Every structure is written in structure tokens, then in C-alpha cells.
Amino acid sequence: MFRLMFFQPRIPQNTGNAIRLVAGTGCELHLVGPLGFDMSEPKLKRAGLDYHDLASVTVHENLPAAWEALAPERVFAYTAHASKFHADVSYLPGDVLLFGPEPTGLPEEVLGDPLVTEQLRIPMIEGRRSLNLANAAAVVMYEAWRQHGFAGSV
């Protein structure tokens, strides 16, 4: 299915919510370090509830290590500065859906990485900076999954 990637996440609750998201959709979560919290953080555990054992979660030391492990064919990077919407592409299983850290978003060097296929954004009304990381990931993940008929759902 799809591979959700958080680059250097800072807020454990957002990552906990993403654990629930990937457990519920059958996707993978890839976390690229350094993380802004410890994986044993109580806030992460609380937000993930009892879904931790049902989720595929991998922590990568850094972005080159993640690229080596995943060997992605397509990587979509989400940024409020892109002109194309997240729903204007046809997603394929195996795609990496890349999101940046909560306070800053993806840095320019990551957005410009040669493995990034395209930069996309989620529409919002004018004057708003961004959505919550976990919410943004859910919006994109469900669009990608919808395009594939919610394969594997009940």
C-alpha cells in the first residue's frame, strides 16, 4: 500500500495519531530522524492507543538511510507553497507521502531532493499557514486510498 513518511517529527501526539492512521489503512509509517521525542514517550503511546502492535512503523536514522531502505519510485512532498493540489495526482501503491516537521514544514533541501517526484499542497482558505500534521497526513492518505477503492477495507 502507501508509505507515509514524517521527516524529523517533533510532536509525539501527531506521530501517535499517524500510528493509528496507518493501522487503520494498512499503510506503513516511516519516521526520519532525528526525532523530537523518544519512541517510548507516554504522549506518543497515549495518542496511538492500542494500535501500536497493528501498525507498521520504521524509524530511519536520516533521509539517506530512508531512501536506501525504501528505494522509492515516487515521492510526493507536501508543502503549503506548492501550486498543485494533493488530489490532482493519481497515487500508486508504494508511493511515499512525505511530510515535514510541525513547526516548519519540509526544508528546501528536502523539497529539492532528486527523489522528490512532485510537491503538492492541501487546499485551505487564504491566510492560513497549515493543517495539523496528523490531520494533513490523513487527508492525503485517504485520498490515495480512495483512488484505489479503499482496497482491503470492510
Side-chain angles (χ1 to χ4, degrees):
M1 194 46 83
F2 304 101
R3 300 182 284 182
L4 176 61
M5 181 181 284
F6 284 178
F7 177 79
Q8 300 180 351
R10 297 284 169 248
I11 300 174
Q13 296 92 324
N14 282 332
T15 298
N17 286 327
I19 288 170
R20 291 173 66 186
L21 173 64
V22 299
T25 59
C27 298
E28 301 171 358
L29 177 60
H30 295 269
L31 305 174
V32 177
L35 306 182
F37 51 86
D38 186 275
M39 288 299 287
S40 64
E41 169 78 40
K43 292 176 183 176
L44 175 102
K45 298 289 185 186
R46 169 102 169 95
L49 294 175
D50 57 350
Y51 289 84
H52 293 269
D53 292 340
L54 302 173
S56 172
V57 181
T58 305
V59 178
H60 304 276
E61 183 179 343
N62 52 42
L63 194 56
W67 293 152
E68 185 176 338
L70 294 173
E73 288 187 31
R74 300 190 329 163
V75 177
F76 295 104
Y78 299 90
T79 173
H81 307 291
S83 57
K84 191 172 182 179
F85 290 134
H86 75 287
D88 291 340
V89 297
S90 296
Y91 294 98
L92 299 173
D95 284 349
V96 173
L97 314 175
L98 173 61
F99 292 84
E102 294 87 341
T104 60
L106 290 167
E108 287 301 320
E109 64 269 14
V110 174
L111 289 169
D113 188 293
L115 288 178
V116 171
T117 305
E118 196 161 9
Q119 295 179 26
L120 302 171
R121 71 181 176 99
I122 298 169
M124 292 182 290
I125 61 172
E126 190 174 342
R128 304 311 189 266
R129 284 191 327 260
S130 65
L131 294 175
N132 169 276
L133 176 60
N135 292 341
V139 166
V140 172
M141 182 68 68
Y142 270 86
E143 172 59 21
W145 197 27
R146 181 198 65 78
Q147 290 181 13
H148 291 271
F150 300 108
S153 68
V154 292

Coordinates of all heavy atoms in Angstrom, one line a residue, residues 123-154:
P123 N -5.6 22.1 -0.1 CA -6.2 23.4 -0.2 C -6.7 23.9 1.2 O -7.2 23.1 2.0 CB -7.4 23.2 -1.1 CG -7.6 21.7 -1.2 CD -6.3 21.1 -0.8
M124 N -6.5 25.2 1.4 CA -7.0 25.8 2.6 C -7.5 27.2 2.2 O -7.1 27.7 1.2 CB -5.9 26.0 3.7 CG -5.4 24.7 4.3 SD -4.2 24.9 5.5 CE -2.8 25.5 4.5
I125 N -8.3 27.8 3.1 CA -8.7 29.2 2.8 C -7.5 30.1 3.0 O -6.5 29.8 3.7 CB -9.9 29.6 3.6 CG1 -9.6 29.6 5.1 CG2 -11.1 28.8 3.3 CD1 -10.7 30.2 6.0
E126 N -7.5 31.3 2.3 CA -6.4 32.2 2.3 C -6.1 32.7 3.7 O -7.0 32.8 4.5 CB -6.8 33.4 1.4 CG -5.6 34.3 1.2 CD -6.0 35.4 0.2 OE1 -6.9 35.3 -0.6 OE2 -5.2 36.4 0.1
G127 N -4.8 32.9 3.9 CA -4.4 33.4 5.2 C -4.1 32.4 6.3 O -3.7 32.7 7.4
R128 N -4.2 31.1 5.9 CA -3.9 30.0 6.9 C -2.6 29.4 6.5 O -2.3 29.2 5.4 CB -5.0 28.9 6.9 CG -6.4 29.4 7.2 CD -6.5 30.3 8.4 NE -7.9 30.6 8.8 CZ -8.6 31.7 8.4 NH1 -8.0 32.6 7.6 NH2 -9.8 31.9 8.8
R129 N -1.8 29.1 7.5 CA -0.4 28.5 7.3 C -0.4 27.1 6.9 O 0.2 26.6 6.0 CB 0.5 28.8 8.5 CG 1.0 30.2 8.6 CD 2.1 30.2 9.7 NE 1.9 29.3 10.8 CZ 1.4 29.5 12.0 NH1 1.0 30.7 12.2 NH2 1.3 28.6 12.9
S130 N -1.1 26.3 7.8 CA -1.0 24.8 7.6 C -2.1 24.1 8.4 O -2.7 24.7 9.3 CB 0.4 24.3 8.1 OG 0.5 24.6 9.5
L131 N -2.2 22.8 8.2 CA -3.1 22.0 9.0 C -2.2 21.2 10.0 O -1.0 21.2 9.9 CB -3.7 20.9 8.1 CG -4.7 21.4 7.1 CD1 -5.2 20.2 6.2 CD2 -5.9 22.0 7.7
N132 N -2.8 20.7 11.0 CA -2.1 19.8 11.9 C -1.5 18.6 11.1 O -2.1 18.1 10.2 CB -3.1 19.3 13.0 CG -2.6 18.2 13.8 OD1 -2.6 17.0 13.4 ND2 -2.1 18.5 15.0
L133 N -0.3 18.2 11.5 CA 0.4 17.2 10.7 C -0.4 15.9 10.6 O -0.5 15.4 9.5 CB 1.8 16.9 11.4 CG 2.6 15.8 10.8 CD1 3.0 16.1 9.3 CD2 3.9 15.6 11.6
A134 N -0.9 15.4 11.7 CA -1.7 14.1 11.6 C -2.9 14.3 10.7 O -3.3 13.4 10.0 CB -2.0 13.7 13.0
N135 N -3.6 15.5 10.8 CA -4.8 15.7 10.0 C -4.4 15.8 8.5 O -5.1 15.2 7.7 CB -5.5 17.0 10.4 CG -6.1 16.8 11.8 OD1 -6.3 15.7 12.3 ND2 -6.4 18.0 12.4
A136 N -3.3 16.5 8.2 CA -2.9 16.6 6.8 C -2.5 15.2 6.3 O -2.9 14.9 5.1 CB -1.7 17.5 6.7
A137 N -1.8 14.4 7.0 CA -1.5 13.1 6.6 C -2.7 12.2 6.3 O -2.8 11.5 5.3 CB -0.6 12.4 7.6
A138 N -3.7 12.4 7.2 CA -5.0 11.6 7.0 C -5.7 12.1 5.7 O -6.2 11.2 5.0 CB -5.9 11.8 8.2
V139 N -5.8 13.4 5.5 CA -6.4 13.9 4.3 C -5.8 13.3 3.0 O -6.5 12.8 2.1 CB -6.3 15.4 4.2 CG1 -6.6 16.0 2.8 CG2 -7.2 16.1 5.2
V140 N -4.5 13.3 3.0 CA -3.7 12.7 1.8 C -3.9 11.2 1.7 O -4.1 10.7 0.7 CB -2.3 13.2 1.8 CG1 -1.5 12.5 0.7 CG2 -2.2 14.7 1.7
M141 N -3.7 10.5 2.8 CA -3.7 9.1 2.9 C -5.1 8.6 2.4 O -5.2 7.7 1.6 CB -3.5 8.6 4.3 CG -3.4 7.0 4.4 SD -2.1 6.3 3.5 CE -0.7 6.8 4.5
Y142 N -6.2 9.2 2.9 CA -7.5 8.8 2.5 C -7.8 9.1 1.0 O -8.5 8.3 0.4 CB -8.6 9.3 3.4 CG -8.8 8.3 4.6 CD1 -8.0 8.4 5.7 CD2 -9.8 7.4 4.5 CE1 -8.1 7.5 6.7 CE2 -9.9 6.4 5.5 CZ -9.1 6.5 6.6 OH -9.3 5.6 7.6
E143 N -7.2 10.2 0.5 CA -7.4 10.4 -1.0 C -6.7 9.3 -1.8 O -7.3 8.8 -2.8 CB -6.9 11.8 -1.3 CG -6.8 12.1 -2.8 CD -8.2 11.9 -3.6 OE1 -9.2 12.0 -2.9 OE2 -8.2 11.8 -4.8
A144 N -5.5 9.0 -1.4 CA -4.7 8.0 -2.1 C -5.5 6.6 -2.0 O -5.6 5.9 -3.0 CB -3.3 7.8 -1.5
W145 N -5.9 6.3 -0.8 CA -6.7 5.0 -0.6 C -8.0 5.0 -1.4 O -8.4 4.0 -2.0 CB -6.9 4.8 0.9 CG -7.2 3.4 1.3 CD1 -6.9 2.3 0.7 CD2 -7.9 3.1 2.5 NE1 -7.4 1.2 1.4 CE2 -8.0 1.7 2.5 CE3 -8.5 3.8 3.5 CZ2 -8.6 1.0 3.5 CZ3 -9.1 3.1 4.5 CH2 -9.2 1.7 4.5
R146 N -8.7 6.2 -1.4 CA -10.0 6.3 -2.1 C -9.8 6.0 -3.6 O -10.6 5.3 -4.2 CB -10.5 7.7 -2.0 CG -11.9 7.9 -2.7 CD -12.2 9.4 -2.9 NE -11.3 10.0 -3.8 CZ -11.3 9.9 -5.1 NH1 -12.2 9.1 -5.7 NH2 -10.4 10.6 -5.9
Q147 N -8.7 6.5 -4.2 CA -8.4 6.3 -5.6 C -8.2 4.8 -5.9 O -8.4 4.4 -7.1 CB -7.1 7.0 -6.0 CG -7.3 8.5 -6.0 CD -6.1 9.2 -6.5 OE1 -5.1 8.6 -7.0 NE2 -6.0 10.5 -6.3
H148 N -8.0 4.0 -4.9 CA -7.8 2.5 -5.1 C -9.0 1.8 -4.5 O -8.9 0.6 -4.1 CB -6.5 2.1 -4.5 CG -5.4 2.6 -5.4 ND1 -4.9 1.9 -6.5 CD2 -4.7 3.8 -5.3 CE1 -3.9 2.7 -7.0 NE2 -3.8 3.8 -6.4
G149 N -10.1 2.4 -4.4 CA -11.4 1.8 -4.0 C -11.3 1.3 -2.5 O -12.0 0.4 -2.1
F150 N -10.5 2.0 -1.7 CA -10.4 1.6 -0.3 C -10.0 0.1 -0.2 O -10.6 -0.7 0.6 CB -11.6 1.9 0.6 CG -11.9 3.4 0.6 CD1 -12.9 4.0 -0.1 CD2 -11.0 4.3 1.2 CE1 -13.2 5.3 -0.1 CE2 -11.3 5.7 1.2 CZ -12.4 6.2 0.5
A151 N -9.1 -0.4 -1.0 CA -8.7 -1.8 -1.0 C -8.4 -2.3 0.4 O -7.7 -1.7 1.1 CB -7.5 -1.9 -1.9
G152 N -9.0 -3.5 0.6 CA -8.7 -4.1 1.9 C -9.6 -3.7 3.0 O -9.6 -4.2 4.1
S153 N -10.5 -2.7 2.8 CA -11.4 -2.2 3.9 C -12.6 -3.1 4.0 O -12.9 -3.9 3.1 CB -11.8 -0.8 3.6 OG -12.6 -0.7 2.5
V154 N -13.3 -2.9 5.1 CA -14.6 -3.7 5.3 C -15.7 -2.7 5.2 O -15.6 -1.5 5.4 CB -14.6 -4.4 6.6 CG1 -13.6 -5.5 6.6 CG2 -14.3 -3.5 7.8

